[in-house]
Amino acid sequence: MIAVSIRHQLNMLSDLLETLTDDQYTFLSPMIGGYSIGQHTRHILELFQALENGYDSALVDYDQRKRDVQIETDRICAHQVAGALITSLVRNDKPLRLRIDGPGEDRLLVESSYYRELAYNIEHTIHHFSLIRVVLRELHLDCVPPTFGFAYSTLRKQKATCAQ
């Protein structure tokens, strides 16, 4: 099930990247603090990459990502990265350690698992999709499915409410 969800989210992102122009992708939106769809896309993809990069060593550090400007400014590059992640992220579950910032200068290690981190990344992606959706509205673009940027629990709740 988790692989289906990952593919679904990354395919929606890939589809969006194919419909945008370069100017739309890099538009700095005043509505979301001057950030672009490209910057949100880079952030989403780099967190998945950090998880992928930490799989073999069983140590994931989301803060030590590349922050590749090419992903946030080049839709084609972002599309290629998303496509590569769709196939590479389907792995067996296993224990992982997650390095996170603590108070002050401390870095903490937290026990986790690969599937738990995939679930986190899916929710994180949906959160950023909701911000991307704001930019799309600002640009008067209607190019994503109605479920884009909505948590699965929200969609289930809406469906249950409509069925009553």
Side-chain angles (χ1 to χ4, degrees), residues 106-149:
D106 295 337
R107 305 274 344 257
L108 307 172
L109 286 178
V110 176
E111 299 299 317
S112 190
S113 73
Y114 183 65
Y115 283 2
R116 169 62 190 99
E117 293 307 308
L118 283 176
Y120 162 76
N121 273 276
I122 290 166
E123 291 298 321
H124 175 260
T125 296
I126 292 168
H127 162 72
H128 281 275
F129 279 4
S130 68
L131 294 169
I132 289 170
R133 189 181 193 93
V134 171
V135 180
L136 293 173
R137 281 194 188 135
E138 186 177 359
L139 293 171
H140 307 287
L141 297 173
D142 184 20
C143 57
V144 291
T147 59
F148 189 90

Short mmCIF file of all heavy atoms in Angstrom, two decimals, residues 106-149:
data_model
loop_
_atom_site.label_atom_id
_atom_site.label_comp_id
_atom_site.label_asym_id
_atom_site.label_seq_id
_atom_site.Cartn_x
_atom_site.Cartn_y
_atom_site.Cartn_z
N ASP A 106 22.80 20.55 19.91
CA ASP A 106 22.69 19.09 19.99
C ASP A 106 22.04 18.50 18.74
O ASP A 106 21.13 19.09 18.17
CB ASP A 106 21.85 18.68 21.21
CG ASP A 106 22.52 19.05 22.51
OD1 ASP A 106 23.75 19.21 22.52
OD2 ASP A 106 21.79 19.19 23.51
N ARG A 107 22.54 17.34 18.34
CA ARG A 107 21.89 16.53 17.30
C ARG A 107 21.49 15.23 17.97
O ARG A 107 22.29 14.60 18.67
CB ARG A 107 22.85 16.23 16.14
CG ARG A 107 23.49 17.41 15.46
CD ARG A 107 22.78 18.14 14.33
NE ARG A 107 21.68 17.62 13.62
CZ ARG A 107 21.73 17.10 12.39
NH1 ARG A 107 22.85 16.97 11.74
NH2 ARG A 107 20.64 16.70 11.79
N LEU A 108 20.26 14.83 17.82
CA LEU A 108 19.72 13.65 18.48
C LEU A 108 19.55 12.51 17.48
O LEU A 108 19.32 12.75 16.29
CB LEU A 108 18.36 13.98 19.09
CG LEU A 108 18.29 15.19 20.01
CD1 LEU A 108 16.84 15.48 20.38
CD2 LEU A 108 19.13 14.97 21.25
N LEU A 109 19.64 11.29 17.96
CA LEU A 109 19.33 10.11 17.16
C LEU A 109 18.02 9.52 17.67
O LEU A 109 17.85 9.30 18.87
CB LEU A 109 20.44 9.07 17.25
CG LEU A 109 21.71 9.38 16.50
CD1 LEU A 109 22.74 8.27 16.71
CD2 LEU A 109 21.45 9.56 15.02
N VAL A 110 17.10 9.29 16.75
CA VAL A 110 15.78 8.75 17.08
C VAL A 110 15.60 7.46 16.30
O VAL A 110 15.93 7.40 15.10
CB VAL A 110 14.68 9.77 16.70
CG1 VAL A 110 13.31 9.20 16.93
CG2 VAL A 110 14.87 11.08 17.43
N GLU A 111 15.06 6.46 16.96
CA GLU A 111 14.77 5.19 16.29
C GLU A 111 13.55 5.36 15.39
O GLU A 111 12.56 5.98 15.77
CB GLU A 111 14.53 4.08 17.31
CG GLU A 111 15.72 3.81 18.21
CD GLU A 111 16.96 3.37 17.47
OE1 GLU A 111 16.85 2.54 16.54
OE2 GLU A 111 18.05 3.87 17.80
N SER A 112 13.61 4.79 14.21
CA SER A 112 12.49 4.85 13.27
C SER A 112 12.56 3.60 12.40
O SER A 112 13.25 2.64 12.74
CB SER A 112 12.57 6.13 12.43
OG SER A 112 11.39 6.30 11.68
N SER A 113 11.87 3.64 11.29
CA SER A 113 11.94 2.55 10.32
C SER A 113 11.76 3.14 8.93
O SER A 113 11.27 4.27 8.77
CB SER A 113 10.86 1.49 10.59
OG SER A 113 9.59 1.98 10.21
N TYR A 114 12.14 2.38 7.95
CA TYR A 114 12.03 2.85 6.57
C TYR A 114 10.58 3.18 6.22
O TYR A 114 10.29 4.25 5.68
CB TYR A 114 12.60 1.80 5.62
CG TYR A 114 12.61 2.24 4.18
CD1 TYR A 114 13.39 3.31 3.75
CD2 TYR A 114 11.83 1.59 3.23
CE1 TYR A 114 13.40 3.71 2.43
CE2 TYR A 114 11.84 1.99 1.90
CZ TYR A 114 12.62 3.04 1.51
OH TYR A 114 12.63 3.45 0.19
N TYR A 115 9.66 2.28 6.53
CA TYR A 115 8.25 2.53 6.19
C TYR A 115 7.68 3.71 6.98
O TYR A 115 6.88 4.47 6.46
CB TYR A 115 7.40 1.28 6.43
CG TYR A 115 7.54 0.23 5.35
CD1 TYR A 115 8.42 0.38 4.27
CD2 TYR A 115 6.79 -0.93 5.40
CE1 TYR A 115 8.54 -0.59 3.30
CE2 TYR A 115 6.89 -1.91 4.42
CZ TYR A 115 7.78 -1.73 3.38
OH TYR A 115 7.88 -2.69 2.40
N ARG A 116 8.11 3.88 8.22
CA ARG A 116 7.65 5.04 9.00
C ARG A 116 8.11 6.33 8.34
O ARG A 116 7.35 7.30 8.26
CB ARG A 116 8.17 4.94 10.45
CG ARG A 116 7.98 6.20 11.27
CD ARG A 116 6.50 6.55 11.46
NE ARG A 116 6.32 7.86 12.04
CZ ARG A 116 6.04 8.97 11.35
NH1 ARG A 116 5.92 8.95 10.04
NH2 ARG A 116 5.87 10.11 11.96
N GLU A 117 9.35 6.34 7.86
CA GLU A 117 9.87 7.53 7.20
C GLU A 117 9.21 7.75 5.84
O GLU A 117 9.01 8.89 5.42
CB GLU A 117 11.39 7.48 7.10
CG GLU A 117 12.08 7.57 8.45
CD GLU A 117 11.63 8.76 9.26
OE1 GLU A 117 11.65 9.90 8.75
OE2 GLU A 117 11.24 8.57 10.43
N LEU A 118 8.86 6.68 5.15
CA LEU A 118 8.10 6.84 3.91
C LEU A 118 6.75 7.48 4.20
O LEU A 118 6.31 8.39 3.49
CB LEU A 118 7.89 5.49 3.21
CG LEU A 118 9.07 4.93 2.45
CD1 LEU A 118 8.73 3.54 1.90
CD2 LEU A 118 9.52 5.85 1.32
N ALA A 119 6.10 7.01 5.27
CA ALA A 119 4.80 7.59 5.65
C ALA A 119 4.95 9.07 5.98
O ALA A 119 4.12 9.90 5.58
CB ALA A 119 4.21 6.82 6.84
N TYR A 120 6.01 9.41 6.71
CA TYR A 120 6.27 10.82 7.02
C TYR A 120 6.43 11.62 5.73
O TYR A 120 5.86 12.71 5.58
CB TYR A 120 7.53 10.96 7.88
CG TYR A 120 8.07 12.37 7.87
CD1 TYR A 120 7.45 13.38 8.61
CD2 TYR A 120 9.16 12.71 7.09
CE1 TYR A 120 7.92 14.68 8.57
CE2 TYR A 120 9.64 14.02 7.05
CZ TYR A 120 9.01 14.99 7.79
OH TYR A 120 9.47 16.28 7.73
N ASN A 121 7.21 11.10 4.79
CA ASN A 121 7.46 11.81 3.54
C ASN A 121 6.19 11.97 2.71
O ASN A 121 6.03 12.99 2.03
CB ASN A 121 8.56 11.12 2.74
CG ASN A 121 9.93 11.60 3.14
OD1 ASN A 121 10.40 12.61 2.65
ND2 ASN A 121 10.57 10.88 4.05
N ILE A 122 5.31 11.00 2.75
CA ILE A 122 4.04 11.12 2.03
C ILE A 122 3.23 12.27 2.62
O ILE A 122 2.72 13.14 1.89
CB ILE A 122 3.26 9.80 2.07
CG1 ILE A 122 3.97 8.76 1.20
CG2 ILE A 122 1.82 10.01 1.60
CD1 ILE A 122 3.49 7.34 1.43
N GLU A 123 3.11 12.32 3.95
CA GLU A 123 2.37 13.40 4.60
C GLU A 123 3.04 14.75 4.35
O GLU A 123 2.36 15.76 4.13
CB GLU A 123 2.24 13.14 6.10
CG GLU A 123 1.34 11.96 6.43
CD GLU A 123 -0.10 12.16 5.98
OE1 GLU A 123 -0.62 13.29 6.10
OE2 GLU A 123 -0.71 11.19 5.51
N HIS A 124 4.34 14.76 4.38
CA HIS A 124 5.11 15.98 4.11
C HIS A 124 4.85 16.47 2.68
O HIS A 124 4.67 17.67 2.44
CB HIS A 124 6.60 15.67 4.34
CG HIS A 124 7.50 16.79 3.99
ND1 HIS A 124 8.20 16.84 2.80
CD2 HIS A 124 7.85 17.91 4.68
CE1 HIS A 124 8.91 17.95 2.78
NE2 HIS A 124 8.72 18.60 3.90
N THR A 125 4.81 15.54 1.74
CA THR A 125 4.53 15.88 0.34
C THR A 125 3.15 16.50 0.20
O THR A 125 2.98 17.53 -0.46
CB THR A 125 4.66 14.62 -0.54
OG1 THR A 125 6.02 14.17 -0.49
CG2 THR A 125 4.26 14.90 -1.98
N ILE A 126 2.17 15.88 0.83
CA ILE A 126 0.80 16.40 0.77
C ILE A 126 0.74 17.82 1.34
O ILE A 126 0.08 18.70 0.77
CB ILE A 126 -0.19 15.45 1.47
CG1 ILE A 126 -0.29 14.14 0.69
CG2 ILE A 126 -1.56 16.11 1.64
CD1 ILE A 126 -0.99 13.02 1.44
N HIS A 127 1.43 18.05 2.43
CA HIS A 127 1.48 19.39 3.03
C HIS A 127 2.04 20.41 2.02
O HIS A 127 1.47 21.49 1.84
CB HIS A 127 2.35 19.35 4.28
CG HIS A 127 2.82 20.68 4.75
ND1 HIS A 127 1.98 21.61 5.35
CD2 HIS A 127 4.04 21.27 4.70
CE1 HIS A 127 2.67 22.70 5.64
NE2 HIS A 127 3.92 22.52 5.27
N HIS A 128 3.13 20.07 1.36
CA HIS A 128 3.71 20.99 0.39
C HIS A 128 2.84 21.12 -0.86
O HIS A 128 2.80 22.18 -1.48
CB HIS A 128 5.15 20.60 0.05
CG HIS A 128 6.10 21.05 1.11
ND1 HIS A 128 6.64 22.31 1.15
CD2 HIS A 128 6.55 20.41 2.22
CE1 HIS A 128 7.40 22.43 2.21
NE2 HIS A 128 7.36 21.29 2.89
N PHE A 129 2.13 20.06 -1.21
CA PHE A 129 1.18 20.15 -2.32
C PHE A 129 0.11 21.19 -2.01
O PHE A 129 -0.33 21.91 -2.91
CB PHE A 129 0.52 18.81 -2.59
CG PHE A 129 1.33 17.84 -3.42
CD1 PHE A 129 2.62 18.12 -3.83
CD2 PHE A 129 0.78 16.62 -3.79
CE1 PHE A 129 3.35 17.22 -4.59
CE2 PHE A 129 1.49 15.72 -4.56
CZ PHE A 129 2.77 16.01 -4.96
N SER A 130 -0.32 21.27 -0.76
CA SER A 130 -1.34 22.27 -0.43
C SER A 130 -0.80 23.68 -0.62
O SER A 130 -1.54 24.58 -1.06
CB SER A 130 -1.88 22.05 0.99
OG SER A 130 -0.90 22.33 1.95
N LEU A 131 0.48 23.89 -0.34
CA LEU A 131 1.09 25.20 -0.58
C LEU A 131 1.23 25.46 -2.09
O LEU A 131 0.98 26.57 -2.57
CB LEU A 131 2.44 25.29 0.11
CG LEU A 131 2.37 25.25 1.64
CD1 LEU A 131 3.74 25.07 2.24
CD2 LEU A 131 1.68 26.48 2.18
N ILE A 132 1.61 24.44 -2.82
CA ILE A 132 1.70 24.56 -4.28
C ILE A 132 0.33 24.90 -4.85
O ILE A 132 0.20 25.72 -5.77
CB ILE A 132 2.28 23.27 -4.90
CG1 ILE A 132 3.77 23.15 -4.57
CG2 ILE A 132 2.04 23.23 -6.41
CD1 ILE A 132 4.40 21.80 -4.93
N ARG A 133 -0.70 24.30 -4.30
CA ARG A 133 -2.07 24.57 -4.76
C ARG A 133 -2.42 26.05 -4.61
O ARG A 133 -3.10 26.63 -5.46
CB ARG A 133 -3.04 23.70 -3.96
CG ARG A 133 -4.44 23.72 -4.47
CD ARG A 133 -5.33 22.81 -3.58
NE ARG A 133 -6.56 22.60 -4.25
CZ ARG A 133 -6.85 21.59 -5.06
NH1 ARG A 133 -5.95 20.65 -5.27
NH2 ARG A 133 -8.00 21.50 -5.65
N VAL A 134 -1.95 26.68 -3.54
CA VAL A 134 -2.18 28.12 -3.34
C VAL A 134 -1.53 28.91 -4.48
O VAL A 134 -2.14 29.84 -5.04
CB VAL A 134 -1.63 28.59 -1.97
CG1 VAL A 134 -1.66 30.11 -1.86
CG2 VAL A 134 -2.41 27.95 -0.84
N VAL A 135 -0.31 28.55 -4.85
CA VAL A 135 0.38 29.24 -5.95
C VAL A 135 -0.37 29.03 -7.26
O VAL A 135 -0.53 29.96 -8.05
CB VAL A 135 1.85 28.77 -6.08
CG1 VAL A 135 2.55 29.51 -7.22
CG2 VAL A 135 2.60 28.96 -4.77
N LEU A 136 -0.84 27.82 -7.48
CA LEU A 136 -1.60 27.54 -8.70
C LEU A 136 -2.85 28.41 -8.78
O LEU A 136 -3.17 28.95 -9.84
CB LEU A 136 -1.97 26.06 -8.78
CG LEU A 136 -0.80 25.09 -8.94
CD1 LEU A 136 -1.28 23.65 -8.83
CD2 LEU A 136 -0.07 25.33 -10.26
N ARG A 137 -3.53 28.58 -7.66
CA ARG A 137 -4.71 29.46 -7.63
C ARG A 137 -4.29 30.91 -7.92
O ARG A 137 -4.99 31.63 -8.64
CB ARG A 137 -5.40 29.38 -6.28
CG ARG A 137 -6.26 28.18 -6.13
CD ARG A 137 -7.18 28.30 -4.93
NE ARG A 137 -7.86 27.04 -4.72
CZ ARG A 137 -8.00 26.46 -3.54
NH1 ARG A 137 -7.53 27.03 -2.46
NH2 ARG A 137 -8.63 25.33 -3.44
N GLU A 138 -3.18 31.31 -7.33
CA GLU A 138 -2.68 32.67 -7.55
C GLU A 138 -2.38 32.91 -9.03
O GLU A 138 -2.60 34.00 -9.55
CB GLU A 138 -1.42 32.87 -6.70
CG GLU A 138 -0.87 34.26 -6.70
CD GLU A 138 0.33 34.38 -5.77
OE1 GLU A 138 0.73 33.39 -5.13
OE2 GLU A 138 0.87 35.50 -5.72
N LEU A 139 -1.90 31.88 -9.70
CA LEU A 139 -1.59 31.97 -11.13
C LEU A 139 -2.80 31.67 -12.02
O LEU A 139 -2.68 31.63 -13.24
CB LEU A 139 -0.45 31.00 -11.48
CG LEU A 139 0.92 31.31 -10.87
CD1 LEU A 139 1.90 30.16 -11.09
CD2 LEU A 139 1.47 32.61 -11.44
N HIS A 140 -3.96 31.44 -11.39
CA HIS A 140 -5.21 31.13 -12.10
C HIS A 140 -5.06 29.86 -12.94
O HIS A 140 -5.54 29.81 -14.08
CB HIS A 140 -5.68 32.32 -12.96
CG HIS A 140 -5.79 33.59 -12.19
ND1 HIS A 140 -6.80 33.81 -11.28
CD2 HIS A 140 -5.00 34.68 -12.15
CE1 HIS A 140 -6.64 35.00 -10.73
NE2 HIS A 140 -5.55 35.56 -11.23
N LEU A 141 -4.40 28.86 -12.36
CA LEU A 141 -4.21 27.58 -13.05
C LEU A 141 -5.05 26.51 -12.37
O LEU A 141 -5.06 26.39 -11.15
CB LEU A 141 -2.74 27.16 -13.01
CG LEU A 141 -1.76 28.07 -13.74
CD1 LEU A 141 -0.33 27.62 -13.47
CD2 LEU A 141 -2.06 28.09 -15.23
N ASP A 142 -5.76 25.74 -13.18
CA ASP A 142 -6.55 24.62 -12.69
C ASP A 142 -6.03 23.37 -13.37
O ASP A 142 -6.62 22.89 -14.34
CB ASP A 142 -8.04 24.85 -13.00
CG ASP A 142 -8.92 23.77 -12.42
OD1 ASP A 142 -8.48 23.07 -11.49
OD2 ASP A 142 -10.05 23.61 -12.91
N CYS A 143 -4.90 22.86 -12.90
CA CYS A 143 -4.22 21.78 -13.60
C CYS A 143 -3.86 20.60 -12.72
O CYS A 143 -3.04 19.77 -13.08
CB CYS A 143 -2.97 22.32 -14.30
SG CYS A 143 -1.81 23.13 -13.18
N VAL A 144 -4.48 20.52 -11.53
CA VAL A 144 -4.23 19.39 -10.65
C VAL A 144 -5.56 18.74 -10.28
O VAL A 144 -6.61 19.39 -10.33
CB VAL A 144 -3.48 19.82 -9.36
CG1 VAL A 144 -2.05 20.24 -9.69
CG2 VAL A 144 -4.21 20.90 -8.61
N PRO A 145 -5.52 17.46 -9.92
CA PRO A 145 -6.77 16.80 -9.52
C PRO A 145 -7.33 17.42 -8.24
O PRO A 145 -6.58 18.03 -7.46
CB PRO A 145 -6.35 15.34 -9.28
CG PRO A 145 -4.90 15.25 -9.50
CD PRO A 145 -4.37 16.59 -9.89
N PRO A 146 -8.61 17.25 -7.99
CA PRO A 146 -9.23 17.85 -6.81
C PRO A 146 -8.64 17.32 -5.49
O PRO A 146 -8.77 17.97 -4.46
CB PRO A 146 -10.71 17.48 -6.92
CG PRO A 146 -10.89 16.75 -8.18
CD PRO A 146 -9.58 16.58 -8.85
N THR A 147 -8.00 16.17 -5.52
CA THR A 147 -7.41 15.59 -4.30
C THR A 147 -6.02 16.13 -4.00
O THR A 147 -5.47 15.87 -2.92
CB THR A 147 -7.32 14.06 -4.44
OG1 THR A 147 -6.52 13.75 -5.59
CG2 THR A 147 -8.70 13.45 -4.59
N PHE A 148 -5.44 16.88 -4.90
CA PHE A 148 -4.07 17.39 -4.77
C PHE A 148 -3.96 18.29 -3.54
O PHE A 148 -4.66 19.29 -3.42
CB PHE A 148 -3.70 18.17 -6.03
CG PHE A 148 -2.26 18.58 -6.14
CD1 PHE A 148 -1.33 17.76 -6.74
CD2 PHE A 148 -1.82 19.81 -5.64
CE1 PHE A 148 0.01 18.14 -6.86
CE2 PHE A 148 -0.50 20.19 -5.75
CZ PHE A 148 0.42 19.36 -6.36
N GLY A 149 -3.08 17.93 -2.61
CA GLY A 149 -2.85 18.75 -1.43
C GLY A 149 -3.78 18.46 -0.26
O GLY A 149 -3.78 19.19 0.72
#
